[in-house]
Amino acid sequence: MNIALWICTGLLAAVALVGGITKTFVPREKLAAMPNGAWTGEATAGFVKTLGILEILAAAGLILPAVLDIAPALVPVTAACWTALMIGAIITHLRHGEHAVIVLNLIYLALAVFVLWGRTVAEPFGG
């Protein structure tokens, strides 16, 4: 179970890091022109960059607390926050009719719920 949780956590962290870097460093206009990026055209540049920074922090929050053994309880907290983020992403993409990306959001949501459950119930850090 621990290995499965680490794999899921690593996948979520990679997704968060790539998404965060993209939102933080790619201009909003380019993001809006990308497939499934129409929502960025309606959001302010500050909002998109803030969301990107939060995703980078989520990547760190999923991995670093456990690896460094400094407040590993932050891992399930971060997974809960990622769950909320994915619910918001699903709603946003539904409003824009971007159904293909919703499948990915549902997968990320399921992974986050698994990590949240796994690190609070099945195999929490420290015992």
Side-chain angles (χ1 to χ4, degrees), residues 4 7-8 10 17 28 32 34-37 39 42 45 47 49 52 63 67-68 70 75 86 91 106 108-109 114 118:
I7 290 169
C8 290
L17 186 61
R28 187 175 60 97
M34 291 179 167
N36 302 315
W39 69 270
E42 297 175 5
F47 176 79
K49 288 195 184 306
I63 300 294
V67 169
L68 300 175
I70 299 173
V75 173
M86 286 301 102
I91 292 167
L106 286 169
Y108 303 150
L109 175 65
F114 176 67

Side-chain angles (χ1 to χ4, degrees), residues 2-100:
N2 190 43
I3 293 172
L5 286 166
W6 272 109
I7 290 169
C8 290
T9 304
L11 288 171
L12 281 178
V15 166
L17 186 61
V18 169
I21 289 171
T22 302
K23 287 177 188 77
T24 303
F25 297 109
V26 174
R28 187 175 60 97
E29 295 75 25
K30 283 190 177 182
L31 290 173
M34 291 179 167
N36 302 315
W39 69 270
T40 59
E42 297 175 5
T44 65
F47 176 79
V48 175
K49 288 195 184 306
T50 300
L51 188 57
I53 291 168
L54 289 174
E55 288 182 8
I56 293 168
L57 291 173
L62 286 166
I63 300 294
L64 293 180
V67 169
L68 300 175
D69 197 26
I70 299 173
L74 288 177
V75 173
V77 171
T78 304
C81 293
W82 188 260
T83 299
L85 182 69
M86 286 301 102
I87 291 169
I90 290 167
I91 292 167
T92 299
H93 291 296
L94 274 173
R95 287 185 11 205
H96 287 91
E98 300 166 343
H99 301 290

